[in-house]
Amino acid sequence: MAASVIDGKAAAAGIRARVAAQVPGFVAAAGRRPGLAVVLVGEDPASQVYVRSKGKATREAGMESFEHRLSPEVSQDELLALVERLNSDEAVDGILVQLPLPAHVDEQAVIAAIDPDKDVDGFHVVNAGRLAVGLPALVPCTPFGCLHLLKQQCGSLSGLEAVVIGRSNIVGKPMAQLLLAENCTVTIAHSRTRDLPEVVRRADIVVAAVGRPEMVKGDWLKPGATVIDVGINRLPTDDGKGRLVGDVDFASASAVAGAITPVPGGVGPMTIAMLLRNTLVAAHGRAGLEAPEDL
Ligand code: GUN
């Protein structure tokens, strides 16, 4: 039986609608709109597309969007000075510095400069640490979106075997923490893992976040597994436009899995939805208001 296809677009639209519905209450209580500042350094086409859609989604949710576009030659000090200005700007609840940054900029130093209470990406060590020890934290948007899809699909995740492929700070590591907090038995696999297909085969839940087009094949999967594909890879095509594929070979995997996210239309839309949610949560925290429960 073919797997059911998990509709990330619909799930994201639901979250965005819930966030937007909470904004007027915040405005009434705080006397201002929640504000998200997005910083883009350089002209990477993919980053430009992401930043444009983040700004649009922010405005559509009734929040203020502040966009800062900097030259690829910007110095580390100039970038840090901008982050400091945003940290002390009362109108800014969330700060997102789009990654990757140019090679001459120390990414970790920039992330460390962001006020953890405004770190809507959840990349600051304070938020990573809070997540690891089970304290309330701003959680990285992509794994948070994956978790939402998994809970929507599976209900309770308690006791399930989860294999996360990829160990990045942005996806793999926080994803593993989130699954552990849901009482999954978690394995983090990566490029040095021995016999990856065999490791993946024991998983009830597979999260693929390695950036290798169509790497995970159907015969790696336990029948009925739930597969979350975080990959976004563009393969060349004859017409020059390219074709987007994930880290999972959808054709073979969907014949074995119980449920699977498509690319595009799976995890991608969830990232922006969770960014808006994090911004609203950060805004409530900064205004001394209780964050609404039903986000
Ligand atoms: N680049 C790719 N994904 C992300 C993300 O979630 N946040 C930021 N800031 N940059 C990214």
Side-chain angles (χ1 to χ4, degrees), residues 114-169:
I114 296 172
D115 177 347
D117 292 339
K118 296 190 177 188
D119 170 37
V120 285
D121 259 327
F123 293 165
H124 194 286
V125 288
V126 166
N127 282 309
R130 292 176 72 90
L131 175 62
V133 299
L135 288 170
L138 287 165
V139 175
C141 303
T142 299
F144 204 13
C146 295
L147 182 71
H148 183 93
L149 294 178
L150 281 167
K151 285 166 84 167
Q152 177 188 287
Q153 185 63 36
C154 306
S156 168
L157 308 182
S158 187
L160 297 181
E161 287 275 351
V163 172
V164 178
I165 315 174
R167 54 176 154 177
S168 70
N169 292 335

Side-chain angles (χ1 to χ4, degrees), residues 25-26 29-30 281 283-291:
F26 176 86
V281 168
H284 278 81
R286 292 189 59 253
L289 299 168
E290 194 79 29

Side-chain angles (χ1 to χ4, degrees), residues 153-214:
Q153 185 63 36
C154 306
S156 168
L157 308 182
S158 187
L160 297 181
E161 287 275 351
V163 172
V164 178
I165 315 174
R167 54 176 154 177
S168 70
N169 292 335
I170 297 184
V171 184
K173 286 181 208 165
M175 186 76 247
Q177 295 288 358
L178 288 167
L179 292 166
L180 191 57
E182 296 294 326
N183 301 314
C184 289
T185 303
V186 182
T187 303
I188 307 182
H190 46 77
S191 55
R192 308 287 171 91
T193 296
R194 272 185 281 130
D195 203 353
L196 183 59
E198 201 52 45
V199 172
V200 172
R201 214 165 275 132
R202 65 171 178 248
D204 304 301
I205 292 169
V206 180
V207 180
V210 271
R212 284 178 178 228
E214 299 179 323

Side-chain angles (χ1 to χ4, degrees), residues 54 96-100 121 123 142 170 271:
K54 284 168 185 173
L96 180 147
V97 179
Q98 185 67 27
L99 304 180
D121 259 327
F123 293 165
T142 299
I170 297 184
T271 299

Side-chain angles (χ1 to χ4, degrees), residues 264-275:
V267 173
M270 295 299 287
T271 299
I272 289 185
M274 291 317 198
L275 174 65

Side-chain angles (χ1 to χ4, degrees), residues 51-103:
V51 165
R52 212 172 306 129
S53 36
K54 284 168 185 173
K56 182 164 173 276
T58 305
R59 290 186 292 276
E60 281 173 5
M63 303 184 190
E64 295 275 3
S65 168
F66 307 101
E67 291 179 32
H68 296 265
R69 290 163 191 273
L70 305 179
S71 138
E73 278 94 41
V74 72
S75 73
Q76 167 116 359
D77 284 350
E78 286 171 290
L79 184 51
L80 290 175
L82 172 59
V83 170
E84 283 307 328
R85 275 211 309 286
L86 297 173
N87 280 344
S88 47
D89 186 338
E90 287 305 321
V92 171
D93 296 293
I95 302 171
L96 180 147
V97 179
Q98 185 67 27
L99 304 180
L101 290 170

Side-chain angles (χ1 to χ4, degrees), residues 224-251:
T226 302
V227 179
I228 304 291
D229 189 351
V230 183
I232 302 177
N233 311 286
R234 193 174 287 278
L235 293 184
T237 52
D238 289 342
D239 64 6
K241 288 185 184 160
R243 182 170 66 94
L244 280 188
V245 300
D247 292 348
V248 178
D249 174 22
F250 187 88

